[in-house]
Amino acid sequence: MNASDTLTGSPGDHPEFDRPPADPLRLLQDWIAAAFARGVPEPTAASLATVGLDGAPSARFVALKQVTAHGVVFATSAASPKGREMSADRRVALSWYWPQTLQQVRIEGRVRVLGDDESDRLFEARPRAARAAAIISHQSAPLASEDELLARVRALADSDEDLRRPAQWCGWLVTPARVEFWLGSRDRLHRRLVYTREAGEWAVARLQP
């Protein structure tokens, strides 16, 4: 017996499938808040898929920072592989899956770099050790010595130095064109709700499993 045989959402727990709200981003906020309340581990961890410089897909997990009225926000180095890929091709996809509640969210859209003020605020919200790591580490570059890297990060974090945001460390906003909410069921009749942006407005529909 696997998790999907014993854990499933009750339709009564998710009235949005029968009475969809107008705004999928507000619904995403509600789902994430409920996941936190239910003790789902790392509910803001999302798989980010980009288009590689060679045209091949590339995916990794990132930590969601915010859900706003305009889209979803995360942060990473513009000099990293994903940063270079997003700079070259703005098409991206994000997905969340919480096995504890059998919920999945998928977003497809376009990404852009946030301004300096917004990126500064995201950077300042990080713990000091995380800021030091972002300053010292050249993300995805070859690692010669882990001990040396850790020592440099710890020394900077323990110093009195003002830890300013590196120019390449940016906030990124994904503006969705499509958002899908999925709720698993043990009989495989999964519930699916999809929003698509049409002429600046959201259209909503149910999908077959």
Side-chain angles (χ1 to χ4, degrees):
M1 181 178 294
N2 58 39
S4 61
D5 292 324
T6 58
L7 293 174
T8 186
S10 167
D13 294 337
H14 292 276
E16 61 270 27
F17 286 93
D18 298 314
R19 298 183 298 278
D23 184 356
L25 292 170
R26 178 62 63 85
L27 181 55
L28 176 57
Q29 290 174 330
D30 292 343
W31 272 36
I32 291 174
F36 273 112
R38 293 169 181 162
V40 171
E42 302 290 345
T44 59
S47 174
L48 169 69
T50 56
V51 181
L53 300 180
D54 59 356
S58 180
R60 77 291 288 158
F61 279 85
V62 297
L64 182 71
K65 299 298 182 184
Q66 295 175 327
V67 180
T68 74
H70 305 290
V72 297
V73 175
F74 62 93
T76 194
S77 171
S80 68
K82 60 182 172 296
R84 295 194 300 270
E85 290 168 357
M86 291 187 294
S87 296
D89 192 323
R90 295 175 56 205
R91 294 174 297 169
V92 298
L94 288 161
S95 60
W96 294 257
Y97 178 58
W98 306 318
Q100 294 80 9
T101 58
L102 294 184
Q103 289 172 272
Q104 181 179 182
V105 183
R106 298 174 58 215
I107 285 180
E108 297 170 4
R110 290 183 173 268
V111 67
R112 67 173 176 86
V113 176
L114 294 176
D116 288 341
D117 289 345
E118 293 167 290
S119 292
D120 285 343
R121 283 194 290 272
L122 290 171
F123 190 73
E124 289 299 319
R126 291 165 64 92
R128 184 172 176 85
R131 282 180 279 155
I135 292 169
I136 295 296
S137 176
H138 299 286
Q139 192 175 110
S140 298
L143 177 65
S145 169
E146 185 174 20
D147 290 341
E148 179 184 350
L149 177 68
L150 291 175
R152 292 177 61 201
V153 170
R154 288 168 181 161
L156 181 58
D158 293 340
S159 74
D160 295 328
E161 187 173 338
D162 184 17
L163 304 186
R164 295 178 179 270
R165 177 179 65 87
Q168 71 272 16
W169 194 96
C170 307
W172 301 76
L173 172 71
V174 177
T175 302
R178 186 180 189 276
V179 185
E180 180 182 337
F181 297 88
W182 181 97
L183 180 65
S185 175
R186 64 170 61 89
D187 57 10
R188 301 303 187 263
L189 291 175
H190 311 307
R191 309 185 87 199
R192 299 175 63 188
L193 181 68
V194 64
Y195 291 80
T196 52
R197 180 79 79 170
E198 298 178 2
E201 301 292 334
W202 286 109
V204 61
R206 289 288 302 274
L207 300 178
Q208 297 186 42

